[in-house]
Amino acid sequence: MLSHTRVKHEISFGQRLANEAQRAREMAATLPPGKMRDALLEKARLADLAARINGWLASPERKSQQ
């Protein structure tokens, strides 16, 4: 049987996503135009999108609709 360990995070999932997006943007700013820079900007865009979706799913308005 597999044993699962729970990780207690210091900051919320949404904040971790926002931090990751910011870090990717900062790294992209140091690179010249190209595939690597584009990949980092895409990663930042997706992390922002995931943070917005997470915020929407956790919103009180959504919970009251159920």
Side-chain angles (χ1 to χ4, degrees):
M1 181 181 282
L2 294 176
S3 175
H4 297 281
T5 58
R6 180 173 164 81
V7 176
K8 182 70 173 170
H9 293 283
E10 298 291 321
I11 57 176
S12 70
F13 180 61
Q15 188 59 49
R16 291 194 315 268
L17 287 169
N19 291 348
E20 184 61 27
Q22 183 63 31
R23 189 173 26 250
R25 273 192 205 86
E26 289 170 358
M27 288 176 62
T30 66
L31 296 174
K35 288 183 180 182
M36 193 66 155
R37 182 174 187 247
D38 291 344
L40 285 169
L41 291 173
E42 178 69 5
K43 181 178 183 175
R45 186 186 71 78
L46 292 174
D48 284 335
L49 178 62
R52 284 197 307 270
I53 291 171
N54 184 62
W56 175 73
L57 289 172
S59 70
E61 294 86 24
R62 185 173 184 306
K63 290 181 181 179
S64 66
Q65 293 174 358
Q66 295 178 352

